[in-house]
Amino acid sequence: QVQLVESGGGLVQPGGSLRLSCVGSGLTLSPYSVGWFRQTPGKEREGISVITKDGRAVYVDDVKGRFTISRDNAKNTVYLQMDNLKLDDTALYYCAAGLYDNYFSIDFWGQGTQVSVSS
């Protein structure tokens, strides 16, 4: 069964850090661009970062300078290092794999991991 599995979410105080992981299960990630998305109740899912198969990273302005996306093809894993977390970062975070060329055409989604930022 092909799937993406996220982990690393949790509860953290404002200003804290978390590192999310996205592992391909039955799926080799190296040929794909992999992105991170987040969603809160009542809002649309938003893309926040993507890393291409060649390692180029793209971020939305809201997370630029605070979040870092990276990939380790030997571990078949993509990471999202989140620093200086804010209350508004609270969301369900998803990873996705597909083709990115200014537009992200997604082939696979993970099930999500919850990130809660609270004092």
Side-chain angles (χ1 to χ4, degrees):
Q1 182 180 2
V2 173
Q3 58 181 345
L4 299 177
V5 181
E6 301 99 331
S7 62
L11 175 63
V12 64
Q13 293 184 338
S17 298
L18 285 173
R19 188 177 77 159
L20 305 184
S21 299
C22 172
V23 179
S25 177
L27 175 67
T28 299
L29 294 182
S30 56
Y32 295 93
S33 297
V34 178
W36 286 95
F37 296 73
R38 63 187 181 187
Q39 188 171 23
T40 54
K43 294 187 177 181
E44 292 188 359
R45 192 174 299 186
E46 64 167 342
I48 57 173
S49 183
V50 63
I51 187 165
T52 67
K53 62 180 181 180
D54 301 321
R56 180 171 64 95
V58 180
Y59 303 93
V60 295
D61 287 344
D62 188 42
V63 306
K64 199 174 294 183
R66 299 189 298 123
F67 292 8
T68 304
I69 193 170
S70 62
R71 65 192 306 159
D72 185 339
N73 289 336
K75 295 183 178 180
N76 205 31
T77 302
V78 171
Y79 303 98
L80 185 69
Q81 176 67 40
M82 305 187 296
D83 298 317
N84 192 22
L85 283 160
K86 303 176 180 179
L87 297 175
D88 288 348
D89 293 320
T90 295
L92 187 60
Y93 283 70
Y94 299 88
C95 67
L99 175 65
Y100 178 79
D101 185 10
N102 293 322
Y103 175 80
F104 200 177
S105 176
I106 295 170
D107 295 314
F108 305 99
W109 284 99
Q111 83 290 347
T113 185
Q114 179 68 39
V115 172
S116 298
V117 184
S118 175
S119 56

